[in-house]
Amino acid sequence: MFKGLEGVYVAESELCLIDGENSKLYYVGYDVEELAEKSCYEEVVYLLFNRRLPTKSELAEFKSELIRHRALWSEQLEFIDKFDGSKEPLGLLSSLLLISYDIDSKYMGNNHLTRAVRLVSLMASGLAAIIRKGMGLRFVEPNPALGHAANFLYMIREEEPDEEDVMMLDKLMILQAEHGLPASTFAALVTASTMADLYSSLVSGLLALRGPLHVGASEAAHNQLLEIESPDRVEEWFSRAMAEKRRIMGFGHRVYRTYDPRARILKELAHRLAVTRGGEIRRLYEVAAKLEEVGIRHLAPRGIYPNVDYWSPIIYMALGIPKEYYTLMYAMSRVAGIVAHVLEYWTDNKLIRPLHLYTGEKGKRYVPVEER
Amino acid sequence: MFKGLEGVYVAESELCLIDGENSKLYYVGYDVEELAEKSCYEEVVYLLFNRRLPTKSELAEFKSELIRHRALWSEQLEFIDKFDGSKEPLGLLSSLLLISYDIDSKYMGNNHLTRAVRLVSLMASGLAAIIRKGMGLRFVEPNPALGHAANFLYMIREEEPDEEDVMMLDKLMILQAEHGLPASTFAALVTASTMADLYSSLVSGLLALRGPLHVGASEAAHNQLLEIESPDRVEEWFSRAMAEKRRIMGFGHRVYRTYDPRARILKELAHRLAVTRGGEIRRLYEVAAKLEEVGIRHLAPRGIYPNVDYWSPIIYMALGIPKEYYTLMYAMSRVAGIVAHVLEYWTDNKLIRPLHLYTGEKGKRYVPVEER
């Protein structure tokens, strides 16, 4: 019995190597720290889809393809307009993707790679439209002069974002682009293994992000900082949380038993924002830094450290993203890894069909309801 | 490496026992042949949700609960009205379920079992509405005087169905209600294991039905009969299909290596329809019977026999269901098994998070794009 499939290898992959012991993460052999420092999200998507870095002209072509695929058709905009996404934004975005399969088919072919690129662009445009609608503001057309991260912020703000904001979002998106086979990516693979289409596979995966047990708990991590309020309340809050056996949000990971390398980079970014922005950002950064210190002191002996969701709330807050969309921001980055895993699995597809162990009684005789 | 998870046990379950060797299938210990003969779909759903048969009063209460949950709210009807589901009906139905989570929350609590019942009713009402829309006809309000199968047919036809039709659909739905952990149910479990909600889990699973490798290929099996046209063309058609290494639709199953017990019952039903209805139904039945004979002669030595999708097209045709909705008809029955597995898994939940085996290069150095 392999309940939870813990420790079970279900596929070969060249997409990422998680070195939990040394606190390192590599995409297609490249250290994610180096990618976050020197690359951009578009290049990382290319890397994951093609399992190699692009040449200069390939990257330029890939970027323009992403730009071309940013458009939302009128049926998609009407759909977003009709449903208020502020309560169930992940359901709304998933629903948008499902109705888009048919709409997109009219405008572009069925080529997997074209559809993969479209999905990356559609996730960003669709999410921007849903956030605007949730804010009660009208849709902003994408700006073809801007890169992926910059355009997303533009579509939310209706004005060009400054460089620091773009840099922050771009790095965060790189760090969240891929991470092996968590439940979300694995659910996508299970659906894809039936040779269902890319849109359906992606949505199967995205829906797993709705669950609180999936990493993607940055909203809860944010609320935790708000609850603690100030650094000098951390010790007391933490002791009570431990006494009540409450989980510390943004701590712990099934794979990492050391400090999550993504969290290390995000902490630096959060620190930079605390300095440049001050105010509320600085206050919550200080709460988070103190909680991290106390948390590590108590939990590190059990292999529990901050994960990628621990520091991202500080960055989202600085970018002006409302909390209810944090999971979708994660999804907007992770679309690259989910789609890349599906494309890779399809190169040597095998239907995923496990077994259950029957533990019930056998040979019961049916008695008609009148005689029960 | 457990690619495809073939032979891997991932959960305990009391829901069904598939005895491939003896060509038997049991739900919660009861022989499915006996259930198809003596029970009704509502009772089977109760059995799967509660892992025991209901008393007379429990069944009556359960039936009225299913009736109460049949309503579609105006937002749901408007959504169906807006999108043409004839091209991607499974996407549309999934999308409807996702937007319904929020809508339903307003009208009913968050109790799992209430939501499970709602999903069974909603699948039927939603599918009926989608089929009506696809036929260019207006929505028919559910009829509280009718049982589950009868009401579904009523909502499609706007008139009360005759007894034979209701009996056929009811038995077909019983036979398709549950079957362990195919990719669809397993995808639902993966999503559910994150403690995502029941609606999201169900949709994750339904989307796997879109793939041609999942059993649920009754539309393709129907087209195959149409292509062959008449019984005396079967031998020639089959030889050519073998020579071209084409798959025979409706044949073969990962678990059964003998005649699928569900197919045996469906064949009897199809035969009855061939006699009572005659005409096109009789002709296609005769093609199917001949193809089965030839197919078994050649394929049985390899353990390949007709599966549940082989005979269902004859029944759907007699019921007047257009081919493009066959997969959704299967989904409308299977919702019971998918939801039952999720409820059962949640009684002892464990996050499903497998591993991938990294097969790529290590330690690549990032070269800036200008220098490539």
Side-chain angles (χ1 to χ4, degrees), chain B residues 296-348:
Chain B
I296 288 179
R297 197 191 317 141
H298 287 84
L299 301 172
R302 287 195 270 144
I304 299 173
Y305 286 86
N307 62 42
V308 71
D309 298 323
Y310 187 78
W311 290 105
S312 54
I314 310 276
I315 294 160
Y316 287 141
M317 198 169 44
L319 294 176
I321 308 293
K323 273 190 293 180
E324 60 266 36
Y325 301 110
Y326 287 1
T327 303
L328 280 104
M329 295 294 293
Y330 181 88
M332 175 179 78
S333 315
R334 183 54 59 84
V335 58
I338 294 178
V339 167
H341 273 283
V342 170
L343 296 177
E344 188 187 37
Y345 195 81
W346 278 347
T347 60
D348 182 27

Side-chain angles (χ1 to χ4, degrees), chain B residues 254-285:
Chain B
R254 173 86 73 93
V255 179
Y256 292 109
R257 298 304 186 171
T258 50
Y259 205 100
D260 185 327
R262 301 167 296 174
R264 197 164 52 229
I265 303 166
L266 291 178
K267 184 181 178 180
E268 281 166 27
L269 298 179
H271 178 255
R272 173 172 165 163
L273 287 169
V275 174
T276 59
R277 311 289 168 104
E280 177 77 352
I281 310 272
R282 186 180 191 100
R283 185 172 69 83
L284 289 191
Y285 172 82

Side-chain angles (χ1 to χ4, degrees), chain A residues 120-146:
Chain A
V120 173
S121 295
L122 180 57
M123 285 288 285
S125 295
L127 176 53
I130 288 171
I131 292 178
R132 287 287 289 183
K133 163 79 178 162
M135 290 168 157
L137 299 169
R138 64 168 191 78
F139 175 67
V140 179
E141 289 289 342
N143 181 343
L146 300 176

Side-chain angles (χ1 to χ4, degrees), chain B residues 152-265:
Chain B
F152 174 77
L153 292 173
Y154 172 81
M155 287 179 76
I156 288 178
R157 302 178 183 175
E158 207 172 6
E159 60 179 37
E160 279 199 36
D162 65 26
E163 258 181 54
E164 189 179 64
D165 279 12
V166 175
M167 180 270 280
M168 289 284 163
L169 179 59
D170 195 55
K171 289 191 193 312
L172 181 56
M173 290 187 70
I174 290 174
L175 294 172
Q176 297 184 339
E178 154 61 9
H179 208 253
L181 300 181
S184 50
T185 306
F186 185 52
L189 271 201
V190 175
T191 292
S193 80
T194 69
M195 294 308 288
D197 62 281
L198 210 47
Y199 286 59
S200 301
S201 305
L202 173 62
V203 171
S204 267
L206 292 182
L207 292 170
L209 295 175
R210 259 188 164 168
L213 295 193
H214 195 292
V215 173
S218 41
E219 186 181 348
H222 189 158
N223 288 333
Q224 180 173 269
L225 299 179
L226 293 175
E227 191 191 318
I228 300 175
E229 256 191 285
S230 98
D232 53 21
R233 292 192 49 204
V234 165
E235 295 271 11
E236 184 208 331
W237 181 92
F238 187 85
S239 306
R240 204 172 52 242
M242 286 295 99
E244 289 166 3
K245 297 192 188 306
R246 272 163 61 192
R247 202 178 143 199
I248 311 300
M249 289 302 162
F251 266 73
H253 196 279
R254 173 86 73 93
V255 179
Y256 292 109
R257 298 304 186 171
T258 50
Y259 205 100
D260 185 327
R262 301 167 296 174
R264 197 164 52 229
I265 303 166

Side-chain angles (χ1 to χ4, degrees), chain A residues 72-267:
Chain A
L72 292 183
W73 314 111
S74 61
E75 289 139 299
Q76 294 164 322
L77 288 172
E78 277 172 50
F79 173 72
I80 293 167
D81 212 45
K82 177 84 200 147
F83 293 93
D84 177 8
S86 59
K87 275 169 233 133
E88 291 300 328
L90 185 57
L92 187 65
L93 184 62
S94 300
S95 202
L96 177 70
L97 292 174
L98 290 176
I99 62 156
S100 296
Y101 177 79
D102 183 36
I103 300 166
D104 285 356
S105 297
K106 284 187 248 167
Y107 300 99
M108 53 190 73
N110 281 307
N111 177 283
H112 286 334
L113 214 53
T114 307
R115 288 186 166 258
V117 176
R118 165 63 171 165
L119 283 172
V120 173
S121 295
L122 180 57
M123 285 288 285
S125 295
L127 176 53
I130 288 171
I131 292 178
R132 287 287 289 183
K133 163 79 178 162
M135 290 168 157
L137 299 169
R138 64 168 191 78
F139 175 67
V140 179
E141 289 289 342
N143 181 343
L146 300 176
H148 192 78
N151 173 65
F152 174 78
L153 292 173
Y154 172 81
M155 286 178 76
I156 289 177
R157 301 178 184 175
E158 208 174 6
E159 60 178 39
E160 280 198 36
D162 66 27
E163 258 180 56
E164 189 180 63
D165 278 11
V166 176
M167 181 271 281
M168 287 285 163
L169 179 58
D170 195 57
K171 289 190 193 311
L172 180 56
M173 289 187 72
I174 290 174
L175 294 171
Q176 296 184 338
E178 154 60 10
H179 208 253
L181 300 181
S184 51
T185 306
F186 184 53
L189 271 200
V190 175
T191 292
S193 81
T194 69
M195 295 307 288
D197 62 280
L198 210 47
Y199 286 60
S200 301
S201 306
L202 173 62
V203 172
S204 268
L206 292 181
L207 293 170
L209 294 175
R210 259 186 165 170
L213 295 193
H214 195 293
V215 173
S218 41
E219 185 181 349
H222 190 157
N223 288 334
Q224 179 175 270
L225 299 178
L226 293 174
E227 189 190 321
I228 300 175
E229 254 191 285
S230 99
D232 52 21
R233 292 193 46 205
V234 165
E235 295 272 12
E236 183 207 332
W237 181 93
F238 186 86
S239 307
R240 202 173 53 242
M242 286 294 101
E244 290 165 4
K245 299 194 187 307
R246 272 165 59 194
R247 202 177 144 201
I248 311 301
M249 289 302 160
F251 266 72
H253 196 280
R254 173 90 74 94
V255 179
Y256 292 110
R257 298 304 184 170
T258 51
Y259 204 99
D260 185 326
R262 301 167 296 175
R264 196 164 54 228
I265 303 167
L266 290 178
K267 183 181 179 180

